[in-house]
Amino acid sequence: MASAWERKCHYSHLGKKAVFLPNLLLREEFTDISYPKMLEGVLLLADVSGFTALAEKCVQQNGPERGAEELAHALNTYMGDILEVVLDFGGDILKFAGDAVLVLWRAAQPHLPTAINLALQCSSEIQKKYGTHDTHMGLMLHLKIGISAGIFSFISVRGGDRQYFFICNQALDEVIEAQNLSAAYEIVLSQTCWELCEQQRIRANYIAGRRAVKVVEMRHLTRQEYRDAVDQLNMYRGDWHLEGMALQRPVLRSSAGPEVGARLEKHISTAVLQKLYQNVPLELCSELRPVTCLFVQLQFADKISTVELSSSLSNSSSMISEIISPHKGEINKSLLFDKGCTFLCVFGFPGEKLACESTHALECAMQILCMASTELGKLQQVSVGVSSGTVFCGLTGHPERFEHTVLGFKVNLAARMMMAYPGMVSCDAETYAASRLPSYCFKELPQRDMKGVTNPVTIYQYMGITKQ
């Protein structure tokens, strides 16, 4: 069967921007939100197990450049097929997190059972077709899925010229827990989701000591039933629709005034906007590039209100943007997942390359660590991981809903360092060497287990530029 990426898509001028964003952000009610907005719906979190190990193996077998390209191709093919099913079931792809994806079926309380049916059958079909995937490199990828339902908060914040959004609160916490409880090829429902669903359609087992159930079997909707359910939710949401178009997201062919395009641009990265302004075809927006990746994790206190969290996210987005922008760094991802609040910053995107890039990134990392520790309220810990090397810079996801990001072992390594060495700025040997800073600015760290990293790598703590 041909991959979703082999299908040729044609976008309108507006569609070239909308393809980078979830349907949620296209609605006028989200035009200018400066406060948390409460929403209802069903969340699905799908995570690909084995991705970091695959990234490492790609580099080992093919070298850094070819390895990054092989990894991007493998993930795009696999994730594109998964998201084809998601879109067919009316799911709104909210966030990408490298090897994970967060999907929403927005629905009011009376429609939640219908939305749960769609999310559950969607998950069942995905696991049946793609739950286990042979990479033909001696490694298998496995899919783990969690589903929750109920209330969550939508938070929109500004950082520099960009707008970022986050999902938080009960439904997000529960979908993360459900996904963490699932094993390969499994679907786990949160307790709230189980209480809201049509239980007569589902056979499930309780997970001992947890507020979640593992789905064993379900009675599937007929083709007509699930199409009616998708149409019902689309009508409730008021999604844009154009008849007679062979697209699951018809908005990609629609047109609107310049004010709509300007609103969408606030959520799109500078690297992408430059290519759109130059009329570069979207299929040519991918390349291999040497970059420096900087992962920041902000671990907030457990007892923090939504208003306080919104304020902290706004302050942190502005702070990080103000620190990295003069050094041609760019926030590429902003996530509120199981790693706390995480920002992926990239130095070296096209048109943004500086000499001594690694040194700029390390100094920015140290500024972020110091300023966040002293100026952000309700913050427990700041951790930063920095890595340098050749990665895939380009489009990942699905032809009708993708993001522009970086992929490769070096990206994964920065994220793993951030987790393994908390409360400091850590960096790899390539960043250490490329910075050409005196050795007393660094301290070699003891080796620690990092998920998916099987071969030992030398890691340093960056201490800052000081006189010896």
Side-chain angles (χ1 to χ4, degrees), residues 290-294 324 326-329 346-348 352-365 386-388 430-438 442 462 465:
V291 302
T292 299
C293 296
L294 187 155
I324 68 174
H327 302 273
K328 302 297 183 182
V346 179
F347 295 77
E352 302 291 329
K353 200 77 173 170
L354 288 180
C356 305
E357 179 182 281
S358 298
T359 309
H360 287 287
L362 287 171
E363 270 304 285
C364 287
V386 186
S387 68
S388 301
E430 286 73 15
T431 304
Y432 165 82
S435 73
R436 298 183 180 179
L437 292 171
F442 300 86
Y462 178 60
I465 300 176

Side-chain angles (χ1 to χ4, degrees), residues 248-259:
Q248 290 162 309
R249 297 187 71 202
V251 64
L252 303 182
R253 295 267 190 91
S254 66
S255 59
E259 70 284 353

